[in-house]
């Protein structure tokens, strides 16, 4: 069997959590492969709403196996909060959630370092979620990190040594902090982690494949936040792209099957960095309001703009997307005319390929299309799509060369239209 990968093609928050939940019944195993609690994946069903940060989005569909892979960075304090909250709602994860021993731990001092680094950057700050993601991946590549498997053996001693190093660094930044506040709950978090089965996930995942079981890999963030291919330095610290799934799970490249690329019918970005189609006018405000575009992790208002095909095509190329999923089509119902960027004007040049930098003064070249101007949220079948929406879908498919096989028309699990192609 194969590993199908679902990942974001924009700047995150495309709706990955919702679609992983919808697709989970088709799979035996769901695995996160990178990122950490900077992610906020929202699921809505039966009048309930959940936002997951560390935990894969396959936990609500029966007893499917869910795995936190080696490429993830895991915060034990947030993990405990998340599992406690789910337990209160009657969802016990100890039988169905398994954690890689090789995943790295986000420690309280990583979070302080994140805050210190952002404060030192001043106006050029990245707009990090301040969850300690960057410093934890830096310790991983710097070969100083502490892994989940290390909690079984002298964790306190290992943390004390790393903490000492971190405190020296933080002092160099001259950053004020309250260590007690950050460390509150660490011990309990580590104890909670110990109640879970910690596994050699690369061995388990390859065993599943050999036994003919199917795996869905759940991406976090989005392609334009990838450490190599995103709008550097305004990116996250992991490889969010399809190749990252092989690294973050320990599965061979040839085991990858479908690559589901998920995008909003428009664009959003939270945090700093270039955003060619960003709207600063009433249209942007309408998108934010209609789409409820406020961060699932930080509550920050998301920046909004029109769909950017230059960026989308780049993301499709990097990931080898085989199926597209278009989200939040209902949000554009309030526009008479919808715009799509098909190229960028940079100085006197018109470029159609995603450039090294997105300079200030870049102007998107827009194609205008008629809007559908009607409520989509109760639609159950593609046959009932208005002609303008069908047109919009066809244009994106022609431009990217990839079929759109799911269209989402609302936040609920049921508001998902799967199209046979
Ligand atoms: P993720 O990080 O990719 O999982 O996405 P987020 O959960 O951060 O953000 C997506 C937001 O859009 C959530 O609030 C979802 O409930 C909501 N959402 C998902 N699909 C749709 C849709 O088709 N229409 C509308 N209106 N909201 C949606
Ligand atoms: P999901 O999985 C949207 C953004 C932050 C910031 C940059 C770096 O929910 O789509 P970091 O905390 O990683 O150092 O922040 O990346 N960012 C996200 N934006 N969705 C996310 O995750 C994000 N995770 C990080 O806002 O600009
Ligand atoms: Mg999100």
């Amino acid at each position: 069997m194969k590993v199908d990968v679902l990942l974001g093609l924009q700047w995150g928050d495309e709706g990955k959590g919702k679609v992983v939940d919808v697709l989970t019944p088709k799979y035996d195993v769901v695995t996160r492969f990178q990122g950490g609690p900077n992610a906020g994946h929202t699921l809505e069903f039966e009048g309930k709403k959940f936002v997951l940060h560390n935990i894969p989005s396959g936990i609500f569909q029966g007893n499917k196996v869910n795995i936190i892979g080696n490429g993830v960075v895991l915060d034990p304090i947030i993990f405990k909060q998340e599992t406690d909250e789910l337990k209160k709602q009657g969802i016990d994860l100890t039988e169905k959630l398994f954690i890689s021993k090789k995943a790295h731990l986000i420690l309280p001092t990583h979070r302080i370092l994140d805050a210190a680094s952002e404060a030192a950057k001043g106006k050029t700050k990245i707009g990090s979620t301040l969850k300690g993601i960057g410093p934890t991946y830096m310790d991983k590549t710097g070969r100083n990190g502490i892994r989940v498997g290390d909690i079984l053996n002298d964790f306190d001693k290992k943390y004390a040594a790393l903490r000492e190093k971190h405190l020296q660094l933080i002092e160099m930044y001259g950053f004020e902090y309250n260590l007690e506040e950050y460390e509150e709950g660490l011990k309990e978090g580590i104890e909670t982690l110990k109640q879970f089965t910690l596994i050699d996930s690369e061995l388990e995942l390859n065993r599943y494949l050999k036994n003919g079981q199917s795996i869905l890999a759940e991406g976090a963030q989005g392609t334009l936040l990838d450490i190599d291919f995103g709008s550097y330095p305004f990116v996250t610290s992991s490889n969010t792209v399809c190749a990252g799934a092989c690294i973050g799970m320990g599965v061979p490249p040839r085991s990858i099957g479908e690559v589901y690329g998920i995008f909003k019918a428009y664009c959003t970005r939270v945090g700093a960095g270039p955003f060619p189609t960003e709207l600063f006018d009433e249209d942007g405000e309408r998108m934010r309001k209609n789409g409820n575009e406020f961060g699932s992790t930080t509550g920050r208002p998301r920046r909004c703009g029109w769909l950017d095909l230059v960026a989308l095509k780049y993301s499709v190329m990097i990931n080898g997307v085989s199926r597209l999923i278009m989200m939040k089509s209902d949000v554009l119902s309030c526009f008479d005319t919808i715009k799509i960027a098909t190229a960028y004007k940079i100085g006197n040049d018109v470029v159609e390929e995603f450039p090294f930098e997105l300079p200030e003064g870049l102007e998107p070249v827009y194609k205008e299309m008629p809007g559908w101007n009607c409520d989509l949220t109760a639609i159950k079948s593609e046959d009932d799509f208005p002609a303008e929406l069908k047109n919009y879908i066809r244009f994106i498919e022609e431009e990217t060369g990839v079929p759109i096989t799911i269209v989402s028309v609302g936040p609920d699990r049921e508001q998902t239209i799967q199209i046979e192609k």
Side-chain angles (χ1 to χ4, degrees), residues 35-39 73 106 110-111 114 128-139 221 236-238:
N38 47 350
V73 287
I106 302 177
H110 285 127
R111 292 185 49 211
D114 210 358
S128 158
T129 59
L130 301 180
K131 302 292 178 197
I133 306 294
T136 305
Y137 278 117
M138 281 164 73
D139 269 344
Q221 291 78 57
T236 191
S237 300
S238 65

Side-chain angles (χ1 to χ4, degrees), residues 65-80:
V65 171
N66 282 260
I67 295 179
I68 296 178
N70 58 280
V72 171
V73 287
L74 185 65
D75 184 325
I77 300 174
I78 298 179
F79 181 76
K80 179 177 183 326

Side-chain angles (χ1 to χ4, degrees), residues 12-16 38-42 51-52 221 295-297 302:
D13 301 331
E14 295 89 349
K16 298 175 289 292
N38 47 350
H41 294 182
T42 315
V51 182
L52 300 174
Q221 291 78 57
S296 316
T297 298
R302 296 178 183 142

Side-chain angles (χ1 to χ4, degrees), residues 12-18 40-42 44 49 264 290 296 302 327-331 408-411:
D13 301 331
E14 295 89 349
K16 298 175 289 292
K18 167 179 164 163
H41 294 182
T42 315
E44 290 192 35
K49 178 173 168 175
K264 282 180 190 169
N290 246 17
S296 316
R302 296 178 183 142
M327 307 300 286
K328 301 193 107 164
S329 321
D330 54 303
V331 176
S408 176
V409 294

Side-chain angles (χ1 to χ4, degrees), residues 91-209:
I91 299 150
D92 184 8
L93 295 175
T94 43
E95 296 293 314
K96 59 178 166 187
L97 178 66
F98 304 92
I99 306 168
S100 170
K101 287 185 204 156
K102 292 193 174 75
H104 278 246
L105 287 175
I106 302 177
L107 298 162
T109 42
H110 285 127
R111 292 185 49 211
I112 304 173
L113 274 170
D114 210 358
S117 160
E118 281 285 80
K121 283 195 161 93
K123 276 194 179 143
T124 59
K125 72 175 185 182
I126 290 159
S128 158
T129 59
L130 301 180
K131 302 292 178 197
I133 306 294
T136 305
Y137 278 117
M138 281 164 73
D139 269 344
K140 176 178 177 175
T141 50
R143 293 155 295 177
N144 294 313
I146 301 180
R147 299 184 293 174
V148 168
D150 293 324
I151 64 172
L152 303 174
N153 187 5
D154 259 350
F155 168 76
D156 288 345
K157 212 166 132 195
K158 288 171 191 153
Y159 176 48
L162 190 58
R163 180 182 187 264
E164 202 47 46
K165 270 193 212 166
H166 287 166
L167 293 180
Q168 282 172 21
L169 272 174
I170 295 162
E171 203 174 311
M172 275 162 57
Y173 276 115
F175 186 74
E176 303 267 331
Y177 59 93
N178 177 351
L179 187 56
E180 257 174 44
E181 198 180 289
Y182 280 91
E183 285 185 332
E184 199 186 316
L186 178 63
K187 217 174 152 128
E188 292 83 355
I190 296 292
E191 289 311 310
T192 302
L193 270 180
K194 284 184 185 163
Q195 288 159 20
F196 282 80
T197 311
L198 309 180
I199 58 171
D200 295 305
S201 55
E202 67 281 22
L203 298 181
E204 294 279 339
L205 287 164
N206 281 285
R207 210 169 284 137
Y208 285 123
L209 288 177

Side-chain angles (χ1 to χ4, degrees), residues 261-272:
I262 180 165
F263 69 102
K264 282 180 190 169
Y266 49 100
C267 281
T268 63
R269 176 165 202 167
V270 60

